[in-house]
Amino acid sequence: MNDILPEESGTWRLVEEIVRDVIEAYGYREIRLPILERTEVFARAIGEVTDIVEKEMYSFKDRNDESLTMRPEGTAGMVRAGITNGLFHNQRQKLWTVGPMFRYEKPQKGRYRQFHQFDVEAMGYEGPDIDAELIILCARLWERLGLGRLSLEINTLGTPDCRAKYRAELVHYFSGVKNQLDEDSIRRLEKNPLRILDSKNPDMRELIAAAPVMIEHIDAEATAHFDGLKSLLDAADVPYTVNPRLVRGLDYYNLTVFEWITDALGSQGAVCAGGRYDGLVEKLGGRATPAIGWAMGVERLVGLYEACGGIPGLQDVDIYIVAVGDGALALGFAAAENLRDQIPGLKVELNLGGGSFKSQLKRADKSGAAYAVILGEDEIARNEAGLKPLRSAAEQENVALDALAGTVKARLEH
Ligand code: ATP
Ligand code: MG
């Protein structure tokens, strides 16, 4: 679980603001959700026989002996909230949220126990047009962030009908090689054989590679949906690869699944992953509602932004006020408030804790401010302030106190 320090949080904010902007440009609205949910919300939504539910959840009993879990992902809570608040009754919803997620994982670069996700979900849309929109939105986001080295993989998991037939084939195949399966896979063979395909165990790789693939078993409905998506992506010039082995680690998906992957971050290359989960609302107690969404890892997104040479988001102040001598501090407070009043958004730091002229100027320099406003005895006697550029060789100028805000504004706009 990481501390995100001021040196990094500026870039986080810059990236997050762009993500918000792009998501909202498509008409999605923000929803804010609790971090704790009843454990059963995740167990039922994600599936009992998944890595997350079996080994990764932070669950505990509260004082009322109720089992609660710190959310490991956003979709289950979003669906729960939609049901609780009646958001899906004769309505369609396009929603997004962002925040911390918790999974007891083996920490490594790009994989943490508290991490952050943007979640974008659409409920009530059944056609492939929304699938395409959610993917096209990502492509626009990469462009806005200046990200390269991302590729899109898509697959279809079929309809429940063809999935049942495929499931039977998988069971047949894996039962034939049961003596080569690891412990997890043997357990999954009974309860959820599709999960075996998502195994991270390298020893299982060959067996999985030789397993039958879903895409060869899909029915006409699933084919039409998948073709619809592909033709919309083609028309929008969004390149993709069909990866028949792409399954995703959660149980609730059907039809479309996709992942945006990069080779720029080492082994944790999945930046955004999503898919359709038409059965989930009903499974959690709501009325049957088609739905699709994706989740984007913010740590990986920020990492990729940096790897692609994105400009850092700085949290420097604009103006640092140096106040030395009798009455300077009170005047400094007034000048700072006046600047904040006159120039909305301006960041003004007033030197606190005293110090010599020299040491205050040093702090001004370190603050990253573009200008120091100097209130010394001479300046105050003349009812003036010194305005000293800190990032250029330009000369200091003296400005009448009542003209300070106007001059600062003009210089900063310059
Ligand atoms: P993986 O197979 O790598 O474990 P996953 O299927 O568990 O991924 P999702 O649940 O689909 O991942 O999460 C969506 C995105 O959230 C991932 O693509 C990734 O960017 C990010 N993410 C998931 N788990 C972590 C983590 N532990 N630390 C940082 N980011 C994560
Ligand atoms: Mg995982």
Side-chain angles (χ1 to χ4, degrees):
M1 300 194 185
N2 296 312
D3 303 307
I4 299 161
L5 301 175
E7 291 72 45
E8 309 158 87
S9 61
T11 300
W12 274 66
R13 277 175 55 162
L14 189 146
V15 168
E16 284 168 351
E17 266 159 37
I18 293 174
V19 180
R20 274 193 195 102
D21 257 22
V22 171
I23 292 171
E24 296 197 335
Y26 289 76
Y28 291 75
R29 297 183 305 158
E30 185 180 9
I31 181 168
R32 299 192 182 194
L33 301 165
I35 287 178
L36 293 179
E37 296 277 353
R38 291 205 173 94
T39 300
E40 66 185 38
V41 171
F42 302 113
R44 278 164 71 189
I46 299 168
E48 298 278 0
V49 200
T50 55
D51 280 352
I52 292 181
V53 174
E54 282 182 335
K55 345 179 197 187
E56 296 176 358
M57 293 204 305
Y58 284 89
S59 301
F60 63 96
K61 291 262 175 74
D62 73 2
R63 288 168 195 278
N64 200 22
D65 220 27
E66 197 163 350
S67 180
L68 301 180
T69 293
M70 295 172 75
R71 62 181 184 195
E73 53 99 59
T75 306
M78 183 100 78
V79 169
R80 195 276 311 142
I83 296 170
T84 310
N85 298 288
L87 303 185
F88 306 143
H89 286 298
N90 305 318
Q91 297 174 67
R92 307 195 294 181
Q93 296 290 348
K94 302 212 297 187
L95 303 170
W96 70 270
T97 197
V98 63
M101 306 292 160
F102 303 84
R103 297 183 192 175
Y104 190 80
E105 303 224 50
K106 192 160 156 250
Q108 51 199 287
K109 187 172 179 290
R111 191 177 289 286
Y112 310 106
R113 291 183 172 175
Q114 174 174 334
F115 61 99
H116 299 77
Q117 280 183 341
F118 271 97
D119 269 284
V120 181
E121 320 273 353
M123 287 86 170
Y125 301 80
E126 62 188 342
D129 48 0
I130 192 84
D131 308 25
E133 180 180 90
L134 280 165
I135 290 172
I136 290 166
L137 187 167
C138 293
R140 173 174 294 272
L141 178 61
W142 311 146
E143 204 176 298
R144 275 285 304 277
L145 288 169
L147 305 185
R149 300 174 72 175
L150 273 156
S151 56
L152 171 64
E153 294 191 352
I154 62 174
N155 190 23
T156 177
L157 300 181
T159 58
D161 269 358
C162 46
R163 194 143 143 182
K165 282 186 213 135
Y166 173 60
R167 185 183 191 281
E169 264 203 47
L170 265 189
V171 172
H172 178 76
Y173 167 79
F174 282 119
S175 300
V177 292
K178 196 169 173 182
N179 57 343
Q180 300 172 57
L181 295 180
D182 64 8
E183 210 177 292
D184 275 347
S185 302
I186 290 174
R187 202 155 18 90
R188 285 167 189 186
L189 183 57
E190 308 296 322
K191 294 193 175 165
N192 192 345
L194 264 82
R195 290 263 56 76
I196 301 177
L197 301 176
D198 201 40
S199 167
K200 300 257 169 16
N201 183 352
D203 297 340
M204 299 291 302
R205 207 167 286 155
E206 256 176 58
L207 284 184
I208 291 170
V213 288
M214 181 72 223
I215 209 163
E216 285 163 13
H217 297 77
I218 61 172
D219 57 19
E221 187 191 338
T223 306
H225 192 101
F226 200 46
D227 288 347
L229 169 63
K230 287 190 286 187
S231 68
L232 287 170
L233 292 179
D234 291 337
D237 274 332
V238 176
Y240 56 85
T241 324
V242 175
N243 173 2
R245 310 253 162 224
L246 182 65
V247 280
R248 312 280 308 105
L250 299 79
D251 255 8
Y252 47 58
Y253 291 108
N254 67 298
L255 293 172
T256 309
V257 287
F258 59 92
E259 267 185 22
W260 287 94
I261 304 168
T262 179
D263 62 358
L265 294 177
S267 52
Q268 310 308 328
V271 176
C272 173
R276 187 164 270 286
Y277 50 94
D278 293 330
L280 185 59
V281 177
E282 199 174 14
K283 197 168 173 192
L284 289 186
R287 243 183 258 173
T289 307
I292 178 167
W294 55 244
M296 191 177 287
V298 184
E299 282 77 3
R300 295 186 196 174
L301 186 65
V302 169
L304 185 57
Y305 176 77
E306 286 167 345
C308 291
I311 49 151
L314 300 177
Q315 299 197 71
D316 295 344
V317 296
D318 303 304
I319 301 292
Y320 192 101
I321 300 182
V322 168
V324 190
D326 277 355
L329 190 60
L331 210 60
F333 268 101
E337 292 306 338
N338 184 50
L339 284 169
R340 293 182 191 116
D341 282 342
Q342 302 297 318
I343 310 175
L346 189 74
K347 295 184 203 163
V348 184
E349 181 170 355
L350 170 63
N351 183 81
L352 301 179
S356 67
F357 178 73
K358 204 176 149 201
S359 69
Q360 292 196 30
L361 253 191
K362 243 190 202 162
R363 289 182 195 143
D365 194 47
K366 220 176 146 195
S367 75
Y371 288 87
V373 164
I374 294 165
L375 298 170
E377 268 165 33
D378 295 350
E379 286 83 3
I380 294 171
R382 294 195 306 266
N383 236 344
E384 286 180 351
L387 187 58
K388 183 178 168 57
L390 296 173
R391 311 292 148 198
S392 75
E395 289 287 303
Q396 175 175 330
E397 56 185 317
N398 291 320
V399 183
L401 269 179
D402 55 11
L404 180 62
T407 310
V408 165
K409 198 168 176 208
R411 297 293 172 272
L412 285 175
E413 276 166 5
H414 196 64

